[in-house]
């Protein structure tokens, strides 16, 4: 005969809609990225095997501004634009941020990895001051160009931050480079040719 079945019941009822500023699934790929909206912030929840994607736009009138991507209780954020990944930040504490980002007008996505509830915020820091560094500038492919006679100022935004400046010298001759390090912390400078 047939073994006795263990009875169970399944029911489906309408649930409450997420409130404003809350993550809505599915948003587990760039194509399904949830728009951040005008507030440019969201509260989300992720498990260890969940990745959440959000999108936002920078309008033409914000060209020349610096931006900050800020998260609390996320383990990683990655910012991508039309040309691919721009910045990746892994958490060292509860808060992590990608700072002083010189983002051109256009569409962007942020990938968030977390293992619990988190908060994500994109902040407009206003006009980029003349001569101030702009991230990403961590490699020779995205280093900030510096002309002779110019001075750049910047800051190290996360531990192990690297800032790369590029210049071109048309003919052989002496060059003087002055670096004023931060009062605290370690600064290491390297000069590359090529």
């Amino acid at each position: 005969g047939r073994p006795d079945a263990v009875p169970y019941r399944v029911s489906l009822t309408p649930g409450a809609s997420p409130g404003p500023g809350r993550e809505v699934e599915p948003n587990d790929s760039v194509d399904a990225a949830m728009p951040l909206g005008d507030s440019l912030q969201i509260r989300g929840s992720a498990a260890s095997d969940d990745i959440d994607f959000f999108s936002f736009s920078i309008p033409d009138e914000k060209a020349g501004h610096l931006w900050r991507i800020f998260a609390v209780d996320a383990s990683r954020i990655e910012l991508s634009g039309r040309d691919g990944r721009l910045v990746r930040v892994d958490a060292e504490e509860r808060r992590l941020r990608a700072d002083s980002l010189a983002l051109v007008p256009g569409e962007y996505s942020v990938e968030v990895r977390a293992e619990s509830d988190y908060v994500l915020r994109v902040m407009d820091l206003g006009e980029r001051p003349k001569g101030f560094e702009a991230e990403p500038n961590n490699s020779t492919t995205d280093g900030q160009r510096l002309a002779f006679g110019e001075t750049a100022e910047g800051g190290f935004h996360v531990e192990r931050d690297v800032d790369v400046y590029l210049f071109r010298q048309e003919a052989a001759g002496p060059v003087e480079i002055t670096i004023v390090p931060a009062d605290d912390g370690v600064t290491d400078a390297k000069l590359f040719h090529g």
Side-chain angles (χ1 to χ4, degrees):
R2 198 173 109 183
D4 291 334
V6 176
Y8 67 87
R9 181 178 296 174
V10 175
S11 63
L12 182 63
T13 58
S17 297
R22 298 288 310 180
E23 170 203 13
V24 176
E25 294 282 357
N27 65 336
D28 55 354
S29 70
V30 171
D31 292 334
M34 179 182 171
L36 287 178
D38 293 339
S39 70
L40 294 177
Q41 61 185 7
I42 197 85
R43 290 184 176 278
S45 185
S48 60
D49 61 346
D50 185 23
I51 302 172
D52 293 335
F53 287 85
F54 301 94
S55 64
F56 67 97
S57 299
I58 295 182
D60 290 338
E61 62 268 15
K62 302 280 182 145
H65 284 215
L66 292 177
W67 297 84
R68 174 181 294 151
I69 312 291
F70 179 82
V72 178
D73 293 330
S75 57
R76 176 189 299 164
I77 55 173
E78 285 189 25
L79 172 69
S80 297
R82 67 175 173 259
D83 296 327
R85 184 171 82 186
L86 299 170
V87 166
R88 171 182 159 172
V89 179
D90 292 306
E92 295 174 7
E93 297 177 8
R94 279 190 66 213
R95 299 167 193 258
L96 57 118
R97 70 183 187 185
D99 220 348
S100 296
L101 300 167
L103 304 178
V104 298
E107 301 294 319
Y108 294 89
S109 67
V110 179
E111 174 184 325
V112 178
R113 293 179 184 252
E115 295 185 15
S116 63
D117 293 344
Y118 62 86
V119 176
L120 173 70
R121 183 171 183 199
V122 177
M123 299 169 65
D124 179 356
L125 301 177
E127 287 281 336
R128 175 181 170 195
K130 184 172 175 31
F132 195 79
E133 70 146 329
E135 298 283 351
N137 64 341
N138 303 326
S139 71
T140 56
T141 58
D142 58 15
Q144 185 172 328
R145 299 221 174 260
L146 194 60
F148 283 94
E150 286 184 339
T151 298
E153 291 185 44
F156 295 116
H157 307 288
V158 294
E159 192 174 331
R160 294 184 301 277
D161 188 10
V162 173
D163 291 337
V164 175
Y165 293 92
L166 308 171
F167 66 92
R168 181 178 182 88
Q169 185 174 4
E170 296 297 331
V175 174
E176 184 175 316
I177 300 171
T178 303
I179 299 171
V180 179
D183 291 337
D184 57 345
V186 176
T187 301
D188 183 24
K190 297 177 183 170
L191 178 63
F192 299 95
H193 177 266

